[in-house]
């Protein structure tokens, strides 16, 4: 009797030992912590720069993207690719007043691809553009009463035209001066120099 139990116990012990030999089942793989997709702030990717090959360009443009000036006035264009067709405007020193007409040659609405022309010193441009963003589209993205703004047109959408006239003496001081579009994100590309010569 006693012997029987001993044998059984031994067998059991062996069985346990055998059991112990078995390597424990692998721990369930830790659920891969799905890293939150790094939602990079959707920087408005600058539109691919189509090198001056804007087939829709109707207004004549001088060498190096110089605006063509006639009778103390010029016409420039903005398009759906977030571009002005000129890079520089030279105002004749003989002009007392100068008129800039902006034509939006695109089709997109003002809320999506609005353009205007704002003139400031180069130093003020970034700050004016930032404040303009806060002012919103109802203010043409120009802070009301901003005395750093020398002149600006209203904000227009595709197919529209607008203009602004200003006293040339205002850009005869300590420049350099720039013209740019204050629609959020546009001034990085839509800008150029304006100077009196
Ligand atoms: Cu614009």
């Amino acid at each position: 009797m006693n012997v029987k139990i001993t044998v059984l116990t031994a067998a059991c012990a062996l069985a346990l030992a055998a059991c112990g030999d078995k390597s424990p089942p692998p721990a369930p793989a830790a659920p891969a912590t799905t890293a939150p997709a790094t939602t990079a702030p959707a920087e408005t990717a600058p539109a691919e720069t189509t090198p001056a090959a804007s087939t829709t360009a109707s207004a004549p443009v001088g060498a190096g993207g110089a605006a063509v000036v006639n009778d103390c006035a010029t016409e420039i264009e903005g398009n759906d690719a977030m571009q002005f067709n000129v890079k520089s405007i030279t105002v004749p020193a003989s002009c007392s007043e100068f008129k800039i007409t902006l034509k939006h040659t695109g089709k997109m609405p003002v809320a999506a691809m609005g353009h205007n022309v704002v003139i400031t010193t180069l130093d003020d441009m970034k700050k004016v553009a930032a404040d303009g963003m806060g002012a919103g589209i109802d203010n043409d993205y120009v802070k009301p009463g901003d005395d750093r703004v020398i002149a600006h047109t209203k904000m227009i959408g595709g197919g529209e035209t607008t203009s602004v006239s200003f006293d040339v003496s205002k850009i005869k001081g300590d420049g350099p001066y720039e013209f740019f579009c204050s629609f959020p994100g546009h001034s990085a590309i839509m800008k150029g120099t304006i100077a009196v010569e």
Side-chain angles (χ1 to χ4, degrees):
M1 188 73 168
N2 257 348
V3 174
K4 251 187 178 176
I5 285 168
T6 309
V7 169
L8 275 172
T9 309
C12 204
L14 279 169
L16 279 172
C19 239
D21 271 344
K22 279 187 192 162
S23 49
T33 47
T34 44
T38 47
T39 44
E43 292 275 338
T44 43
E48 289 165 38
T49 47
T50 34
S54 48
T55 48
T56 53
S58 53
V61 178
V68 173
V69 172
N70 282 310
D71 298 330
C72 298
T74 191
E75 181 177 307
I76 71 175
E77 296 176 349
N79 62 19
D80 280 348
M82 208 203 292
Q83 297 166 319
F84 280 136
N85 68 329
V86 300
K87 292 184 172 67
S88 64
I89 299 172
T90 301
V91 178
S94 58
C95 299
S96 57
E97 200 174 66
F98 192 77
K99 181 180 181 182
I100 297 176
T101 297
L102 170 67
K103 188 177 169 188
H104 193 317
T105 60
K107 290 188 169 66
M108 293 172 73
V110 64
M113 186 53 72
H115 299 315
N116 66 358
V117 173
V118 180
I119 299 170
T120 66
T121 63
L122 176 62
D123 282 350
D124 288 339
M125 183 174 77
K126 278 188 179 169
K127 286 167 260 175
V128 168
D131 287 348
M133 205 181 298
I137 196 163
D138 289 344
N139 291 306
D140 296 319
Y141 289 115
V142 175
K143 187 172 96 177
D146 191 336
D147 58 14
R148 297 167 298 184
V149 174
I150 292 160
H152 76 92
T153 69
K154 65 174 191 163
M155 185 71 62
I156 58 171
E160 295 182 297
T161 298
T162 186
S163 65
V164 63
S165 294
F166 59 94
D167 192 336
V168 173
S169 66
K170 290 181 179 175
I171 56 168
K172 281 182 172 172
D174 289 331
Y177 299 93
E178 294 269 311
F179 68 91
F180 63 96
C181 172
S182 67
F183 190 96
H186 288 199
S187 64
I189 295 164
M190 299 187 75
K191 63 181 177 182
T193 60
I194 181 163
V196 179
E197 261 180 35

